[in-house]
Amino acid sequence: MSPDAPAPAKKSPADIKGIVFNIQRFSIQDGPGIRTTVFLKGCPLHCAWCSNPESQNFRPEVVHRDSLCTKCGLCAGVCPENAITVKDKGVSIDRKACTNCGDCVSVCLPGALKVLGQTMSAGEVFRETKKDADFFWNSGGGVTVSGGEPLAQPDFVAALFRLCVDYGIDTCIETSGFASAEALEKVLPQTSLVLYDVKLGDRECHRKWTGVSNEEILKNLERVIASGVAVTIRVPLIPGINDVEQELEKIARIAADAQIKPVKVELLPYHRFGIGKYQQLDREYLLPELTTQKAPEILRIKELFESFGLACEIVL
Ligand code: SF4
Ligand code: SF4
């Protein structure tokens, strides 16, 4: 660039783009009060029990809801990659061949096919979320960014939160903690609460069940705590994987050793709500045998955490 050339215009935060797959209004489980939860697409972890498998891939994806499918075959006819097979129960998509062009979606009259994930600017998402600002202010709620992994799109989240904070809207992220220190540095200054997942205490078990070690995650937990932003530790309870005594004690020890007072832990009992989504994505759910914990078992786990001096709540 010559010295006389005008400097390139700086991008406004409202123009920064992210990939969003859902904006859920009136959410009451993703932080305090009534909230709008923005679900981002893309996660560096692949937890075997993930209830949002559509959030894992960073790219938009076509999903098929076979209960709506009339088996007309129009989608298979227009697919330039021959990726669709019409079967007795509906369709299946060869994910290696599919380019997510969306041609099949546009010919599916009953709406059995849908592209999940769209590029939106921080300004567009903010305009959507601020519609419920009165509910946020009256309930102590706000905007939560979940995923996927919010810290995998740090510029977008920081920009969205900047707009929220300037408007007086509370901000929260729900994170696996698997992110770079730079991503944290971008997002934390605009964040008032971090819901921080601690899934497993054992490093190798963590790698086995989520695809990554928990080493960086635990370092980032310390970084978040040191930043002074409020933290709630969240533990998804997965039958036979982390709801066994030895693992629970490791997780409780991590929470108890965290230098935040009072330490709050939220327990999320296992549920099977997301299993149907695997079939919509032509994927296999790897833990079909798991069943939800019974109430006495959940209360026993709560007592175990409380025995470590932790304030513990069950989130259903
Ligand atoms: S176009 Fe839609 S309704 Fe027809 S076979 Fe394909 S998915 Fe089913
Ligand atoms: S999105 Fe495009 S490539 Fe993928 S199944 Fe549909 S038509 Fe075929």
Side-chain angles (χ1 to χ4, degrees):
M1 190 171 71
S2 85
D4 298 331
K10 207 173 166 199
K11 206 172 192 180
S12 151
D15 295 333
I16 294 175
K17 293 190 166 47
I19 301 186
V20 176
F21 78 88
N22 192 15
I23 298 178
Q24 187 177 311
R25 298 167 72 183
F26 303 108
S27 164
I28 52 166
Q29 291 177 326
D30 299 319
I34 295 172
R35 311 192 73 84
T36 292
T37 305
V38 179
F39 291 90
L40 302 190
K41 206 146 167 22
C43 182
L45 275 64
H46 282 75
C47 303
W49 54 83
C50 181
S51 59
N52 286 328
E54 74 277 37
S55 73
Q56 291 180 341
N57 193 324
F58 281 86
R59 293 186 311 158
E61 285 170 291
V62 176
V63 291
H64 53 87
R65 290 163 297 174
D66 290 342
S67 60
L68 298 175
C69 174
T70 58
K71 303 172 201 71
C72 67
L74 286 174
C75 53
V78 298
C79 176
E81 310 298 334
N82 289 323
I84 300 182
T85 307
V86 182
K87 299 179 173 172
D88 285 348
K89 288 186 179 167
V91 302
S92 71
I93 298 176
D94 177 349
R95 300 289 166 171
K96 288 204 177 98
C98 173
T99 58
N100 295 304
C101 69
D103 287 0
C104 54
V105 177
S106 55
V107 298
C108 180
L109 297 179
L113 297 170
K114 185 178 167 190
V115 177
L116 269 190
Q118 59 172 316
T119 302
M120 294 181 78
S121 70
E124 286 173 310
V125 176
F126 172 65
R127 279 193 290 282
E128 198 54 33
T129 57
K130 82 172 183 182
K131 288 176 185 167
D132 294 322
D134 283 339
F135 292 104
F136 305 154
W137 292 326
N138 286 328
S139 69
V143 170
T144 296
V145 180
S146 183
E149 174 49 63
L151 294 173
Q153 300 187 50
D155 293 314
F156 172 76
V157 177
L160 171 62
F161 279 4
R162 181 77 267 149
L163 295 167
C164 289
V165 169
D166 288 349
Y167 199 73
I169 292 176
D170 180 78
T171 56
C172 168
I173 56 168
E174 187 175 16
T175 179
S176 69
F178 190 80
S180 65
E182 292 74 27
L184 281 175
E185 279 166 23
K186 285 179 182 173
V187 173
L188 287 181
Q190 279 77 242
T191 305
S192 65
L193 172 65
V194 178
L195 301 176
Y196 203 104
D197 275 11
V198 177
K199 302 170 199 289
L200 284 148
D202 182 86
R203 191 184 298 177
E204 281 318 305
C205 283
H206 200 283
R207 189 188 296 283
K208 174 181 173 187
W209 291 108
T210 72
V212 303
S213 159
N214 63 2
E215 207 174 350
E216 203 54 33
I217 290 170
L218 297 181
K219 273 191 205 150
N220 278 339
L221 177 59
E222 288 173 15
R223 289 184 180 119
V224 175
I225 290 165
S227 76
V229 176
V231 181
T232 294
I233 290 175
R234 286 195 141 185
V235 185
L237 298 174
I238 313 302
I241 293 177
N242 74 351
D243 72 350
V244 291
E245 193 123 337
Q246 200 185 4
E247 259 308 317
L248 291 169
E249 285 181 358
K250 278 187 192 153
I251 297 169
R253 174 53 55 207
I254 289 167
D257 287 348
Q259 297 300 307
I260 29 173
K261 298 285 180 278
V263 182
K264 188 173 167 203
V265 174
E266 291 182 346
L267 301 176
L268 286 71
Y270 177 74
H271 63 75
R272 295 170 61 83
F273 302 141
I275 293 179
K277 299 180 193 172
Y278 282 80
Q279 185 260 335
Q280 295 180 358
L281 290 158
D282 302 286
R283 287 177 52 185
E284 185 188 355
Y285 185 63
L286 298 175
L287 302 168
E289 71 286 358
L290 298 192
T291 53
T292 310
Q293 293 98 354
K294 302 248 178 344
E297 171 70 356
I298 297 167
L299 290 173
R300 187 189 63 75
I301 294 170
K302 182 172 183 279
E303 281 169 15
L304 183 147
F305 276 84
E306 286 168 344
S307 74
F308 279 75
L310 298 160
C312 190
E313 276 180 25
I314 297 163
V315 178
L316 294 171

